[in-house]
Amino acid sequence: MNRIDRLFGILTLLQSKKYITAEKIAERFNMSIRTVYRDVKALCEQGIPVSFEQHKGYYLVQGYFLPPVSFNMEEANALLLVESLVNGFADNSIRAHYSAALTKVKAVLKTGQKEKLETLNQHIKLQIPERMSFNFGYLSLIQHAIAEKHLIEIDYKNNKGEASKREVEPIGLIFYAFSWHLIAWCHYRNEYRDFNLIRIVCLKNLGIPFRKTEHMPLSDYMHLLPVNY
């Protein structure tokens, strides 16, 4: 990668994150920390407002935005392949959002790239078992509640067919045992619970902040899963 491409890559990375450390930038572009310092200085000399906060890392000053980006063919192909995975493993809400995002990506491609992408699309297929047809629309709502730390209310039917209404604080989503699972602090049980999304009858974001101040990391909960896949 030449320096111009690397500088643009660093700028794109800064745009995509609130903070990023010099170590992460160095790892991403396979270069030394000293080179990161030089590249960031070069960006600043070009009038790009890169700032630094101790113990957090570099960030772009609020209000600065990159112009619309362009994609090379390999990047566009990768996004097309991910579309097949999204259609197979996500739910209706994520499929709709990803389709809208991919449409925006296609809009900035050159005509020749669009034609190649459409041709390639005919040669990528994903065969998914019928039991993995996720026809609910909860993933996007849950993602929003996790990000905003909002309580959600669910009507849930367990594997015995018993129905209950729960107020929960979502800490994450895990895909295992061929299904999506919501991991959340349940105020009804007063403990962390695992809710299989296919058993959720109704879900809504209450817009109410979490009542519990601290939650265990999702990675810690994963160690408690009954299976390792």
Side-chain angles (χ1 to χ4, degrees):
M1 180 182 291
N2 62 48
R3 194 181 188 217
I4 293 176
D5 288 341
R6 192 175 70 234
L7 288 174
F8 185 78
I10 293 172
L11 184 52
T12 303
L13 195 60
L14 286 165
Q15 179 89 3
S16 69
K17 297 181 179 295
K18 187 173 182 180
Y19 296 99
I20 186 163
T21 64
E23 289 77 13
K24 289 291 185 182
I25 296 173
E27 180 182 347
R28 172 66 178 80
F29 295 100
N30 192 27
M31 60 185 184
S32 68
I33 298 294
R34 182 173 294 182
T35 303
V36 173
Y37 296 154
R38 287 201 299 263
D39 284 356
V40 170
K41 182 180 179 182
L43 290 173
C44 292
E45 288 172 349
Q46 294 302 313
I48 297 167
V50 181
S51 194
F52 180 82
E53 188 168 331
Q54 192 72 26
H55 305 304
K56 291 185 177 180
Y58 292 107
Y59 65 94
L60 283 176
V61 174
Q62 190 172 2
Y64 178 83
F65 293 97
L66 284 172
V69 299
S70 60
F71 293 86
N72 61 38
M73 204 61 220
E74 288 74 18
E75 292 167 339
N77 289 345
L79 290 170
L80 183 65
L81 183 62
V82 171
E83 183 180 27
S84 297
L85 298 176
V86 168
N87 288 334
F89 291 92
D91 74 345
N92 293 332
S93 64
I94 299 299
R95 291 182 194 120
H97 291 315
Y98 189 86
S99 178
L102 191 59
T103 297
K104 293 177 182 178
V105 170
K106 291 177 179 177
V108 301
L109 296 177
K110 298 175 183 177
T111 301
Q113 290 177 314
K114 292 176 184 177
E115 292 172 351
K116 290 179 181 177
L117 207 61
E118 290 304 316
T119 299
L120 183 60
N121 193 34
Q122 304 304 315
H123 296 271
I124 298 176
K125 303 296 178 185
L126 189 66
Q127 188 166 317
I128 299 293
E130 186 176 347
R131 66 191 179 97
M132 289 180 62
S133 297
F134 305 125
N135 292 319
F136 45 78
Y138 304 138
L139 286 174
S140 185
L141 289 171
I142 294 171
Q143 284 181 316
H144 181 73
I146 292 170
E148 298 296 328
K149 296 184 177 180
H150 282 170
L151 280 163
I152 59 178
E153 181 182 84
I154 60 173
D155 293 328
Y156 191 73
K157 187 173 290 188
N158 65 19
N159 56 7
K160 296 179 181 178
E162 300 166 339
S164 62
K165 187 181 291 290
R166 314 282 186 95
E167 281 190 9
V168 303
E169 299 184 8
I171 67 167
L173 288 160
I174 302 176
F175 186 90
Y176 77 90
F178 306 106
S179 189
W180 282 102
H181 295 252
L182 164 65
I183 311 303
W185 177 265
C186 177
H187 286 284
Y188 178 72
R189 296 290 187 186
N190 203 35
E191 63 181 350
Y192 290 106
R193 304 290 286 187
D194 178 337
F195 300 98
N196 191 324
L197 264 62
I198 63 173
R199 296 198 185 111
I200 294 178
V201 179
C202 182
L203 180 150
K204 65 178 179 180
N205 186 337
L206 296 176
I208 301 171
F210 286 179
R211 295 196 287 268
K212 185 175 169 62
T213 55
E214 295 290 336
H215 282 292
M216 71 185 300
L218 185 64
S219 56
D220 288 353
Y221 189 92
M222 290 184 71
H223 295 305
L224 306 176
L225 295 179
V227 295
N228 61 358
Y229 60 89

